[in-house]
Amino acid sequence: MARIVMKFGGTSVADLDRIRNVAARVKREVAAGHEVAVVVSAMAGVTNQLVGWCQALSPLHDAREYDTVVATGEQVTSGLVAIALQEMGVEARSWQGWQIRLLTDGAHGKARIDRIEGAELIRRMGTGQVPVIAGFQGIGPDNRVTTLGRGGSDTSAVALAAALLADRCDIYTDVDGVYTTDPRIVAKARKLDKIAYEAMLELASVGAKVLQTRSVELAMKARVRVQVLSSFQDLPGTLVVDEDEIVEHAIVSGIAYSRDEAKVTVRRVPDRPGIAAAIFGPLAGAGVNVDMIVQNVSADGTTDMTFTLGRADLPRARKVLDDNHATIGFVEILDDPDVAKISVVGVGMRSHAGVANTMFRTLAEKGINIQVISTSEIKVSVLIGAEYTELAVRALHTAYGLDAG
Ligand code: ADP
Ligand code: ASP
Ligand code: MG
């Protein structure tokens, strides 16, 4: 007998038939004698709609009220899955973040989990009851509902697996595992049997949304065995494991893209000590995460500072910069939301040169202009025009020898 957390994403609970399918899968594990806790996302498309409503009313909406709105999608599916399970003769009960007491910090819209009070859930699982937990949500220090950032149900699932001392955390989704790149845009993408925590973490952080970055971070820290698998087919999935469990290391393990980026250029700021702090300090203070940064040197004592950020943060960032015009002293601000970040990731890069060069050469051969570059020990990222996303990812997938035979 094992204790399992089963997480189902948006497409897996997109309609009532799929909810019945989820309940049947859960019932199978219960019938096999396992203790099961279920974590659900909102129905596919629902969270986008809820976010869209907040943005339409106010681009700079109150983050607490945003959380009040967007957390509702998971409340619906947790109740529906519980009903479907009861209908199949499985004892089940829904749980919202505040009922478990899944406690987070106060960063509304991107909260971090501080603590989960798991004792009551464990007790009920011991009696054969299946808790069906609304993913993505918790409760903050102000006693209000918080959400964990887009894709956050993965993190709910891994955190619950750790808190409930589960033997594994199965992430059921609409693909049958983690691939060398998004199988929806590269038909030749290859499924990985195993991927190292480090590589998965890096892939997730640069846009492979199959797992939310924080869920991988947590799994790595708390040693949770995570498996990604299909909720529609009975196929072996991908195990996320320690680096030393992987026998053969590819230099490049995968390619990811993110279209959720925007580029901002702060034009002609004085080229003096403290200018970066004057720009990025207030942005950090407003909770805007900046990703890639380039500063150009120019001859006339001024410089251009270009950076990227999440596209959703663009209105907020523009306001912060405008509010700080006097201390920064820029001439103008340009922004471009039509950009994409393409990243090549691999643990093997640590010991191999030439990975970045292959990337630059491949993109040049396709006539794709690189706007910004950033690198880390196991990753190279470039910013390009969004219209070249698919072309770039496919060309790089071939160039690094990742295409399925
Ligand atoms: P869920 O709603 O189940 O959480 P998501 O849409 O968040 O599903 O994540 C699954 C999607 O992630 C897949 O449909 C796929 O398009 C995308 N994806 C991106 N990169 C990868 C990758 N390397 N391997 C598998 N899927 C990927
Ligand atoms: N429903 C939330 C979202 O779409 C959380 C999740 O699906 O993981 O971002
Ligand atoms: Mg997801």
Side-chain angles (χ1 to χ4, degrees):
M1 193 207 78
R3 185 177 292 162
I4 311 167
V5 171
M6 301 172 78
K7 181 259 170 178
F8 295 92
T11 32
S12 309
V13 292
D15 58 37
L16 297 184
D17 278 338
R18 289 184 180 181
I19 283 180
R20 286 189 198 97
N21 168 59
V22 162
R25 279 187 182 271
V26 172
K27 182 177 178 170
R28 216 157 70 188
E29 298 291 0
V30 173
H34 302 311
E35 285 184 6
V36 180
V38 178
V39 176
V40 288
S41 294
M43 289 181 173
V46 166
T47 310
N48 283 347
Q49 183 176 49
L50 297 168
V51 171
W53 286 342
C54 296
Q55 276 165 351
L57 279 177
S58 162
L60 296 174
H61 47 259
D62 182 311
R64 285 180 175 75
E65 301 313 334
Y66 166 95
D67 278 348
T68 301
V69 175
V70 302
T72 58
E74 275 74 10
Q75 174 155 349
V76 172
T77 46
S78 61
L80 290 174
V81 170
I83 292 173
L85 281 166
Q86 290 169 358
E87 195 60 20
M88 288 178 191
V90 178
E91 204 191 322
R93 183 61 63 210
S94 66
W95 293 81
Q96 309 309 299
W98 63 270
Q99 290 169 313
I100 299 167
R101 293 192 67 78
L102 188 152
L103 302 161
T104 72
D105 65 11
H108 283 275
K110 44 182 140 182
R112 278 179 177 274
I113 299 175
D114 283 336
R115 191 161 56 86
I116 297 178
E117 293 173 4
E120 181 60 12
L121 295 183
I122 291 176
R123 191 188 68 74
R124 291 185 184 226
M125 287 163 81
T127 70
Q129 194 177 95
V130 174
V132 185
I133 296 145
F136 185 46
Q137 54 163 271
I139 183 161
D142 56 359
N143 229 20
R144 302 199 69 93
V145 174
T146 52
T147 62
L148 308 178
R150 297 305 307 270
S153 307
D154 298 327
T155 302
S156 308
V158 172
L160 278 154
L164 302 176
L165 309 171
D167 298 289
R168 30 179 244 268
C169 181
D170 291 343
I171 306 281
Y172 287 89
T173 184
D174 55 2
V175 285
D176 59 353
V178 178
Y179 281 71
T180 45
T181 191
D182 188 345
R184 294 194 189 288
I185 71 163
V186 180
K188 290 178 180 162
R190 255 188 310 117
K191 184 162 102 182
L192 304 164
D193 300 332
K194 291 180 181 174
I195 184 165
Y197 286 116
E198 288 83 352
M200 189 64 242
L201 184 61
E202 200 78 23
L203 273 175
S205 75
V206 292
K209 63 174 180 157
V210 61
L211 287 175
Q212 199 201 29
T213 309
R214 274 187 202 159
S215 73
V216 187
E217 229 167 56
L218 251 180
M220 195 165 153
K221 207 159 60 187
R223 298 281 136 206
V224 175
R225 281 187 81 78
V226 173
Q227 195 182 353
V228 176
L229 65 179
S230 165
S231 54
F232 306 114
Q233 293 163 288
D234 286 312
L235 291 169
T238 300
L239 272 173
V240 188
V241 297
D242 272 328
E243 218 172 294
D244 52 20
E245 276 189 56
I246 294 179
V247 189
E248 254 186 83
H249 279 291
I251 298 170
V252 169
S253 36
I255 295 165
Y257 64 91
S258 168
R259 289 193 179 103
D260 305 327
E261 316 277 315
K263 183 179 75 167
V264 173
T265 301
V266 187
R267 290 264 297 129
R268 307 200 56 189
V269 290
D271 195 5
R272 59 166 170 80
I275 195 65
I279 294 174
F280 298 114
L283 287 170
V288 173
N289 282 333
V290 167
D291 179 17
M292 308 163 107
I293 300 176
V294 272
Q295 182 183 348
N296 304 318
V297 186
S298 66
D300 65 356
T302 72
T303 182
D304 289 352
M305 191 78 84
T306 296
F307 60 90
T308 66
L309 73 177
R311 196 179 305 159
D313 283 337
L314 191 52
R316 208 175 301 276
R318 281 213 69 131
K319 178 164 190 321
V320 169
L321 294 172
D322 286 336
D323 289 349
N324 287 276
H325 188 204
T327 44
I328 304 171
F330 53 83
V331 170
E332 63 175 336
I333 294 176
L334 308 174
D335 65 53
D336 181 359
D338 296 319
V339 291
K341 183 172 72 172
I342 313 292
S343 307
V344 171
V345 171
V347 176
M349 270 185 215
R350 284 193 197 115
S351 48
H352 279 83
V355 173
N357 192 43
T358 302
M359 184 174 201
F360 304 151
R361 191 168 31 76
T362 306
L363 296 176
E365 280 163 11
K366 296 289 176 192
I368 301 172
N369 186 41
I370 298 173
Q371 303 178 16
V372 186
I373 301 171
S374 79
T375 62
S376 81
E377 204 187 9
I378 63 169
K379 172 202 81 187
V380 187
S381 299
V382 296
L383 196 75
I384 62 172
E387 68 271 33
Y388 300 113
T389 307
E390 279 93 351
L391 177 63
V393 174
R394 289 197 191 110
L396 291 169
H397 199 264
T398 305
Y400 289 106
L402 297 172
D403 287 353

